[in-house]
Amino acid sequence: MRTIYVVTHPEATHHVERVVGGWHDSRLTPAGLSAATSIAQALRTQIPDGADVELFSSDLQRTRQTAERIAELLGVKPILDRRLREKSYGEAGGRPQEWLDQRFVPPPAVGERLEHDEGVEGAETKAVWARRIYAAMDEILQSPCEHQIIVTHGGSLTLVVTSWLRIPIKAVGYASFRVPSGSITTLHEDDFFHNRTVVNLGDIRHIDSAKAG
């Protein structure tokens, strides 16, 4: 039996500054830090006391800060992995979103989507992005640990989920799971059929509860 909790980092400075994220190394805002605490508390209530837990995180500041809040509450050390980063937007990273919007070439409705060139120097194709996420997931899933937490980014969550479901990279050209910042997606594999289930996608009840309180 295995349960994976996929966390998307909460509000970061690039969100409020309206600049392109990607590999731009933005930090959590004060609201984001508060949300990271709520995420950690939600995970603490979901994971049984005394259970073995592994924590993996993208190495960018906004995900690392999120992972640190989780690590402190659960008493685990985060394993940083640059392969869990968001898609690289090349020279657009850290520039105003408008700059990217004016240059971005969207993928075709029909035809080559994985190797599509978006028109931005240095940007990753979806194929390159997928291969590194899948490689990270392959290593994470080699561990027998029953409770694993992965802290990543909103875009990369799609590829974490498709990898979990064993969808081949060649079939993810159209895949997209849109989730809010600061969300928790729960994935579960049973120990009888070994079926892999998406239990919930993009849950933010922990943040809504914190705001209401």
Side-chain angles (χ1 to χ4, degrees):
M1 185 174 68
R2 184 196 304 265
T3 304
I4 298 179
Y5 310 87
V6 189
V7 174
T8 55
H9 70 80
E11 183 183 82
T13 53
H14 74 275
H15 291 144
V16 298
E17 294 169 357
R18 293 288 299 157
V19 299
V20 179
W23 287 13
H24 172 59
D25 206 10
S26 61
R27 299 179 57 83
L28 294 184
T29 65
L33 288 168
S34 177
T37 298
S38 296
I39 291 167
Q41 292 169 342
L43 291 170
R44 177 66 285 173
T45 64
Q46 294 179 56
I47 298 173
D49 289 339
D52 289 334
V53 181
E54 291 178 338
L55 173 59
F56 303 89
S57 176
S58 156
D59 65 336
L60 293 175
Q61 289 188 84
R62 55 193 184 270
T63 41
R64 193 168 68 243
Q65 288 176 296
T66 306
E68 287 169 355
R69 294 292 172 103
I70 298 168
E72 182 178 357
L73 195 57
L74 272 68
V76 295
K77 183 177 180 180
I79 299 170
L80 303 181
D81 190 337
R82 64 182 288 117
R83 294 174 299 180
L84 293 171
R85 288 184 177 191
E86 184 60 285
K87 177 184 183 299
S88 172
Y89 287 93
E91 65 176 354
R95 291 179 181 264
Q97 184 64 46
E98 292 179 355
W99 187 93
L100 175 59
D101 293 343
Q102 292 169 1
R103 294 162 176 80
F104 187 79
V105 179
V110 178
E112 178 53 60
R113 295 172 60 87
L114 288 173
E115 299 289 356
H116 170 71
D117 183 350
E118 297 171 343
V120 179
E121 184 69 29
E124 287 183 305
T125 63
K126 192 169 187 178
V128 170
W129 181 24
R131 283 195 289 268
R132 64 174 168 81
I133 296 288
Y134 273 53
M137 286 295 294
D138 285 346
E139 288 190 18
I140 289 169
L141 294 175
Q142 286 178 10
S143 167
C145 187
E146 292 187 0
H147 295 274
Q148 296 175 303
I149 302 166
I150 299 173
V151 183
T152 186
H153 307 259
S156 292
L157 172 129
T158 287
L159 297 169
V160 169
V161 173
T162 58
S163 173
W164 165 252
L165 294 174
R166 295 202 163 190
I167 298 174
I169 290 176
K170 64 182 181 182
V172 302
Y174 291 91
S176 178
F177 298 109
R178 300 297 295 272
V179 300
S181 299
S183 67
I184 301 173
T185 292
T186 305
L187 311 174
H188 182 74
E189 180 180 1
D190 71 82
D191 57 3
F192 185 76
F193 292 106
H194 298 284
N195 288 330
R196 294 185 174 187
T197 304
V198 179
V199 178
N200 58 53
L201 182 68
D203 187 2
I204 54 169
R205 286 175 293 177
H206 49 280
I207 295 178
D208 292 339
S209 296
K211 289 179 179 178

